[in-house]
Structures are given as structure tokens and as C-alpha cells.
Amino acid sequence: MGEALLAGIRVAEFTHMVMGPTVGAILAELGAEVVEVEAIGGDATRRLMGSGAGYFPMYNRGKASICIDLKSPDGLGVARRLAVSADVVIENFRPGAMDRLGLGAGSLRAENPRLIYCSEKGFLPGPYENRTALDEVAQMMGGLAYMTGPPGRPLRAGASVIDVTGGMFGAIGVIAALERRHRTGEGATIQAGLFETTAYLMGQHMAQMAVTGVPAAPMPARVSAWAIYDVFETADGEQLFVGVVTDALWAKFCALFGLDDLWADAGLRANNARVAARPTLLPRIQAELKRFSKAELMARLDGSGLPFAPIGKPEELFDDPHLLAGGGLAPVVLADGRSTMLPVLPIAVDGARTGGPATLPKPGADTRAVLAGLGLGEAEIAALLQAGAVG
């Protein structure tokens, strides 16, 4: 990739969980120097179990760690010194928390007008802004859970999609603000909200209502835009998704499976006509595809141009040949010393993937180096450590 895109950009991160750390994770993978501020003993996210056990390793690779007691005047002084010396500050604490610490956008930008300050919140300013929000709260409020589950059974999406997408929008805002700063020298205050992120994702369904006058049905009960766009059972009891999304692909599909009678029906050659005929057409296609095993179907469909997909599981991605061959996974050394592979940013720059090997830092592993980089001498660092202001 050559020189990292954000080389020379310094980021101070006051975050936890997923949404805030995602911003820093994106910037770090693009080459920024990211220092994560943790509580003494380490961020509580490190100790989550169950579905939260993967949060810290996924969204905190490539960062340095400093532990600071923000309740200590000396610790708070270190935090402020770190923040005002940075190009970017990221935070995702409750509204007003950073202001009460003297680390709010107004205070820090008054001292460093070039600072870009990114706040990741549950809600942007408005009637809801002081409510507590989580990814799941936003999915429920914003319509994503309604659209994901069957009618009457709202269901959260199977990943922290709102936290991660909200972090992506924050990173987009930061990068745009950096570009403006190149021209004007002026910093910026960026805000992203979980609820507003969900609303943005629901925009296609809102637009559907505006265009058709009919509210969008939950995805399991939707009226599909295509007649063949389904998960099909195979002869060996497996499942495979297949889509026929253009008239040209309908011709390919009929030829591939020898469906001469269907191709001969000129009334099925236009997409909307096939959608109208779906109640009779779909059972026929289901029966045709069930004659083949999953492997046979995949071999036949591969290279045809028809969209298809096996029903994958997250753990299968560790061994996915495409991800492995294309650099889509990078080695990570976990906190306990074990190694694994985790996904990198889904982009290529000049033909190269952005990720590289990373070791998750121990809590405070970089405290001394970060303090020295701020200009503190050994005696000052030792005194702060002795007082427990940093760890």
C-alpha cells in the first residue's frame, strides 16, 4: 500500500464497547497512531463474556494503551495533555460526561483549534439525546428489528451492525474534517448517533413507502422485487441462496438447468411478469433445484454470473479460501498470547489490503512511552505511576 493513508495523524481515544472503538479501529488500520485511554486495570470491555467476548479483540487492534485515573487531578491533567496534543479525539461516553471532566469539545478546541473531536452517541441532539441507547435499542426503535424478524416477531440483526455502522459514519466525518483542515487549518466537532444511523439504513424502506404508498413489510414477508431470490433446499438436506435479478440472468438460468419450457414462455421473459407468476413459478424452481446436492449446485452456478451463496457461519470464515488468498484476514495475538485471524477493513488501496499483524496491548502497556512522547521526564512518569494517576 506504500505509505499509510493517515500516517502522521495522532488520535486520542476515550471509548468503550463497540461504536467508539470502531472509529479508532478504522483510523488505526488506515495508518493513524491511535492511543486508547483505559481505566486503571483496563477497559471493562476486555472482560465481557458471551456475545461480548469478541468486542475488544476485533475493535482495538493496532492501538497503543495508556491507563489513566480520570478521577485523579493528576490523571485528568495527563488526559487533557494527551487530548490537546492530538489531531483527533474520539469519545463515546454519556452526554455531558466529557464536559464535566473538562475534556469536552469546546474546552479542548479552544486550546487546540485544529482538533477534530468525534463524539459517538446514542442520539444526536434532540428530544431523545439524554436517553441511554445501545445497538439493540436503536435497532428496536429505528425499525431494523421490525424489518428483520417475521411479522410480529421483531429480531435484532445478527451482528452489532448499528454500532459498527455508526462508527463508520464517525470515521467518515473525521476523514472529511481532516480534508477540510488541510484547506482551512480549522478543526471540527463530529457527532454520530445510533438512532440516526438506524434511520439512515431504514431510508430505503421509507422511500419505498413514499413511492408505493404501502408500508414496507418485514423482510421475511416482503413482496420480492424478483421472482427467484430465495434460499433453496438441496438433495442432501443443505441450503443454498440463488437469485435471478435480471432478464439476461433468467435466460442463463433456464439454459443452465435445461428449463426449456419456461424459457419458451414469452410471458416470463420480463422480470415483473415473473414476479406476478411467482406463486406458481417458485414451486417449480424449488423442485428443480432440489434434484441436486449443494456441491453439485455450487459447481454448476460458479462462473455463470448468477448470484448464489451457501449459508455460511462465522466460524467458517477462518478457513475461507477467498479471504485467505486475498488478505482479508490478518493475524492477531490475543491478550492471553494465543494467535487467531480476524477480518481487516473491506477495502483495497492501490491493490493492497490495509490490515497487518497486530498484538492486542496489555492494559497500560504503552503508558510510559505515551507519557514520554508528551514530554514528561522519567521522574514525572514515576511520580504519576506511584500516585496511581496512571497505570
Side-chain angles (χ1 to χ4, degrees):
M1 188 175 67
E3 186 179 25
L5 297 176
L6 295 180
I9 298 298
R10 300 177 64 227
V11 180
E13 184 183 299
F14 298 81
T15 69
H16 61 291
M17 298 292 277
V18 176
M19 190 190 191
T22 295
V23 184
I26 292 170
L27 300 181
E29 195 166 320
L30 293 174
E33 175 192 336
V34 180
V35 176
E36 179 184 11
V37 175
E38 302 189 60
I40 301 295
D43 179 5
T45 307
R46 291 176 178 268
R47 299 182 287 277
L48 290 177
M49 300 172 67
S51 61
Y55 292 172
F56 195 88
M58 180 62 197
Y59 303 110
N60 291 281
R61 294 170 286 168
K63 301 176 183 178
S65 170
I66 179 173
C67 289
I68 301 178
D69 180 4
L70 295 179
K71 296 179 181 178
S72 154
D74 287 340
L76 199 55
V78 169
R80 184 177 181 89
R81 190 163 174 173
L82 174 66
V84 297
S85 69
D87 296 288
V88 179
V89 165
I90 307 164
E91 65 90 14
N92 70 329
F93 287 93
R94 288 181 59 84
M98 292 292 277
D99 289 312
R100 288 191 292 274
L101 291 169
L103 299 174
S107 176
L108 295 183
R109 290 188 61 203
E111 190 168 344
N112 176 8
R114 291 175 54 82
L115 179 66
I116 294 163
Y117 193 102
C118 178
S119 290
E120 300 279 301
K121 302 298 185 187
F123 304 90
L124 295 183
Y128 303 155
E129 64 184 295
N130 290 315
R131 290 189 189 180
T132 299
L134 303 167
D135 186 292
E136 198 145 339
V137 169
Q139 290 196 34
M140 296 293 171
M141 283 187 68
L144 179 56
Y146 171 83
M147 289 302 300
T148 301
R153 293 168 55 195
L155 182 68
R156 69 155 285 161
S160 302
V161 290
I162 304 303
D163 272 333
V164 175
T165 309
M168 289 167 55
F169 285 137
I172 290 168
V174 167
I175 293 167
L178 285 169
E179 171 56 27
R180 186 182 74 174
R181 194 178 75 173
H182 292 156
R183 301 191 308 271
T184 68
E186 179 185 1
T189 300
I190 306 296
Q191 296 172 292
L194 289 172
F195 178 61
E196 288 78 8
T197 294
T198 314
Y200 192 86
L201 296 183
M202 291 300 98
Q204 67 189 85
H205 303 307
M206 296 168 67
Q208 178 183 336
M209 170 67 180
V211 170
T212 67
V214 179
M219 295 300 277
R222 71 191 183 279
V223 176
S224 178
W226 303 285
I228 311 300
Y229 198 75
D230 299 88
V231 174
F232 293 91
E233 301 288 334
T234 64
D236 51 349
E238 297 289 332
Q239 294 179 310
L240 196 75
F241 170 83
V242 181
V244 179
V245 295
T246 68
D247 296 336
L249 286 177
W250 173 244
K252 285 189 176 184
F253 183 80
C254 289
L256 196 63
F257 290 98
L259 304 175
D260 298 338
D261 60 319
L262 293 180
W263 178 248
D265 186 346
L268 294 176
R269 294 195 180 177
N271 179 71
N272 288 351
R274 292 193 298 278
V275 172
R278 179 176 162 85
T280 56
L281 183 59
L282 184 59
R284 168 70 186 282
I285 302 303
Q286 287 171 330
E288 290 289 343
L289 297 190
K290 198 166 185 178
R291 295 170 46 229
F292 301 90
S293 70
K294 173 184 168 182
E296 289 170 339
L297 274 178
M298 290 181 64
R300 185 169 291 218
L301 290 163
D302 200 10
S304 69
L306 284 153
F308 74 95
I311 311 305
K313 298 175 183 176
E315 61 268 24
E316 295 170 349
L317 297 178
F318 286 116
D319 301 310
D320 185 272
H322 181 83
L323 290 176
L324 292 171
L329 302 176
V332 179
V333 178
L334 300 175
D336 61 6
R338 290 180 299 123
S339 295
T340 189
M341 301 284 282
L342 290 175
V344 302
L345 288 180
I347 60 174
V349 180
D350 297 330
R353 300 302 293 268
T354 55
T359 299
L360 287 178
K362 301 287 187 183
D366 305 288
T367 295
R368 287 182 177 275
V370 171
L371 294 178
L374 293 174
L376 277 70
E378 277 300 322
E380 293 175 286
I381 294 172
L384 288 168
L385 287 165
Q386 179 65 31
V390 299

